[in-house]
Amino acid sequence: MRSFSKQRTYLPTLRVLPEEQLLYDGSEGSVSTVDEHDETLDFGKGDGTNVEAEIESESRDNEKVQHGVPYELRDEKGRKWWKYFDEFEYRANSEYRKKRTWYTFLYPNHLTQTKAERTLLYKLDLMIGLYFLMLCWCKSLDTNNYINAYFSGMQKDLNMTKNDYINTTAISNVGAIVLQLPFMYFLPRFPAHLILPIMDLGWSFFTFACYRANSLAELRAYRFMVSAFGSAYYPVSQIVLGAWYAPDEISSRVCLFFCGQLLGGVTSGLLQARTYKDLNGVHGLAGWRWMFLIDGIAISIPCAIIGYFVIPGVPSKCYSLFLSDDEIRVARARNKRLQIKDAVDSSKLLSLFSWKIWKKVFFTPAFWVLVVFDTCSWNNMTAFSGSFLFWLKTDHNFSVVKINNLSVLPACLGFVFVFFCAWGADLFRTKWIFMVFSQAMNCISCAILIKWDVSNSAKWFAFLITYFSVAASPCLWSFINDFLRLDPQLKAVTWIAIYSFSQSTYAWIPTLAWKTVEQPRFKTGYTVSLIFSIVYGLWTFVVLYFYKRNEKKNALGNGIILYNSDHGEAPPAFIETEMEKRGEYYFLKEKSKEKQDI
């Protein structure tokens, strides 16, 4: 019999490594090794300069000069007005930008200059990228099953009339909101590879239970619980993605996440059509009931089990079975260079009843800016209103099978829209352009459908581009991740607060805007979506302003030493005393490193 210690190699356990990290030392293709607890030098006080003195006290801990990191000395004299639109102006220095060639934007190794960095990204995409795609597919499949089931006999079997369809959706959304709140406590304290699988098993059970619903009240109870157990998925997955990927890598990976959502929209219609055709009436069960059975048992439960083994936690508290020690060290070094703090010791966490936490959340302008941002993203989505299916059913004499098959067309095009926006954002390091473009396209779609009295081809065009409403979401969530990267506990609390607030609006706004009795035209719904899309596009510039203001405060931590000779400022004194120039960039002197060791 194998000993327990040997069996543990097949189970996720906390990876304890020698406390060292790899950092770029300025020479091509090499790295230096430093102690993980090595304190960097903070030049915010007592150096005779006033550059860092203006920085808010709460961000000083993050603005420290690191050993082995290249620093750009930047004079802001004569800064052009159009630099406002340069999203990465203060997020990354010129060395960071130059080290990544455009054709390697998906798999760069410019931070540590080691093969392990690129291998790390390959493995992460296979583990969490594809896994979250698969899990999002399961969740989307279940959500779309409800829509397809409604048109495949459930409406008649459960006697759903008037606004029962949209009201049931609203009730299920309440379940997600209610059970999200405890994760403000759980996320900083418990590993993701335990949280998600446990919640997913509950989600799978109640998805399976939907097949036996014999009344509308029973179905609503099951859908409430499905959404309640699915509440952990979005915040946990985004926190995990934000802990492993750089700011110019993450949109492409959140794109995989949303592709799972689109894949659910595609496969739900096809599976429902096939199920209705082949299994309707088999063993006395309607076709829509078989879909919930298949989804719960054959798809959702296996995904939950796989998650326990493939979710790696975060770099500083890694549970991965598949990452090497060097790859974990590289991930930690990347986070140190990028100012991403992914976890904190549980003994240092504040109580959720501490006013200090809530003061930081509610009295920070960025929180309210992001709340508006996320609220717009929830309520501009004509793609998930079911309006296309209502139109197919009402204005066309199509069979149930053909309606289910045609329902996949907008989601199929959605893949193109999401990839275009997410990959473009990372390739060009500019999310705002693609966010504004996507909302402009959604406005065109909504305007056509509000007019309604247009040609049939114009309506087809409008419905087929509805997924531009969701195309900006990878960029949105990348923004939120980067805003909140400096404090793990504050990130968990703020993320849940933002998500709960914005999702709560989605629990009641659709009941007013997308009343089932108004189908198939939904003039109110399209008008509301148009308004939210316009606000969403314009609000992107507000977010960009606060994002750049935040990054300018943290510029030193991003490898940029700022001063403005137009204002009579000179380069900080510590450059001459504590740093040395190698080529174009400044590095901390070895003697300063020795001070840190002492």
Side-chain angles (χ1 to χ4, degrees), residues 103-174:
Y103 54 86
T104 61
F105 79 99
L106 283 177
Y107 297 103
N109 65 343
H110 60 116
L111 282 174
T112 62
Q113 295 292 294
T114 65
K115 292 182 179 179
E117 181 177 354
R118 188 165 290 168
T119 303
L120 169 71
L121 293 174
Y122 292 148
K123 288 186 177 181
L124 289 176
D125 283 354
L126 290 174
M127 291 190 302
I128 59 179
L130 291 182
Y131 176 72
F132 284 145
L133 183 154
M134 179 173 62
L135 198 60
C136 194
W137 170 63
C138 291
K139 194 174 191 305
S140 178
L141 184 64
D142 172 61
T143 301
N144 284 279
N145 278 347
Y146 168 68
I147 300 172
N148 291 106
Y150 181 84
F151 292 102
S152 302
M154 186 175 72
Q155 176 189 11
K156 181 179 179 180
D157 291 351
L158 300 185
N159 193 28
M160 299 176 72
T161 60
K162 296 183 179 179
N163 292 315
D164 285 341
Y165 169 83
I166 192 63
N167 289 337
T168 302
T169 300
I171 289 171
S172 67
N173 287 335
V174 172

Side-chain angles (χ1 to χ4, degrees), residues 243-295:
W244 290 96
Y245 291 106
D248 54 348
E249 299 165 357
I250 189 170
S251 292
S252 301
R253 275 62 187 197
V254 180
C255 170
L256 292 176
F257 172 94
F258 274 94
C259 282
Q261 191 169 26
L262 300 179
L263 189 61
V266 172
T267 55
S268 177
L270 298 176
L271 286 173
Q272 186 70 65
R274 186 72 183 185
T275 300
Y276 187 89
K277 181 179 179 181
D278 294 347
L279 295 177
N280 188 37
V282 175
H283 298 301
L285 295 178
W288 66 268
R289 295 182 186 274
W290 276 107
M291 192 63 239
F292 286 118
L293 278 170
I294 294 171
D295 186 10

Side-chain angles (χ1 to χ4, degrees), residues 189-353:
R189 292 171 171 84
F190 299 96
H193 81 284
L194 294 179
I195 293 177
L196 267 184
I198 291 172
M199 297 299 288
D200 291 345
L201 286 175
W203 160 17
S204 302
F205 174 79
F206 285 102
T207 297
F208 163 78
C210 287
Y211 97 93
R212 66 183 304 277
N214 292 312
S215 67
L216 179 58
E218 187 177 1
L219 176 69
R220 285 176 171 175
Y222 293 146
R223 299 301 295 176
F224 178 92
M225 295 306 298
V226 167
S227 294
F229 277 99
S231 62
Y233 172 61
Y234 286 104
V236 174
S237 60
Q238 294 310 304
I239 285 176
V240 171
L241 288 169
W244 290 96
Y245 291 106
D248 54 348
E249 299 165 357
I250 189 170
S251 292
S252 301
R253 275 62 187 197
V254 180
C255 170
L256 292 176
F257 172 94
F258 274 94
C259 282
Q261 191 169 26
L262 300 179
L263 189 61
V266 172
T267 55
S268 177
L270 298 176
L271 286 173
Q272 186 70 65
R274 186 72 183 185
T275 300
Y276 187 89
K277 181 179 179 181
D278 294 347
L279 295 177
N280 188 37
V282 175
H283 298 301
L285 295 178
W288 66 268
R289 295 182 186 274
W290 276 107
M291 192 63 239
F292 286 118
L293 278 170
I294 294 171
D295 186 10
I297 297 176
I299 299 174
S300 298
I301 291 178
C303 284
I305 295 172
I306 292 171
Y308 173 74
F309 293 96
V310 302
I311 298 174
V314 295
S316 61
K317 293 184 178 180
C318 184
Y319 292 83
S320 178
L321 297 173
F322 307 105
L323 296 178
S324 69
D325 290 354
D326 280 346
E327 288 158 0
I328 296 173
R329 292 189 185 104
V330 164
R332 293 175 179 175
R334 280 160 49 91
N335 280 1
K336 188 173 182 180
R337 168 78 188 271
L338 295 167
Q339 289 197 96
I340 299 174
K341 191 172 183 181
D342 55 50
V344 65
D345 190 88
S346 57
S347 63
K348 297 180 181 179
L349 294 173
L350 298 174
S351 168
L352 280 181
F353 298 102

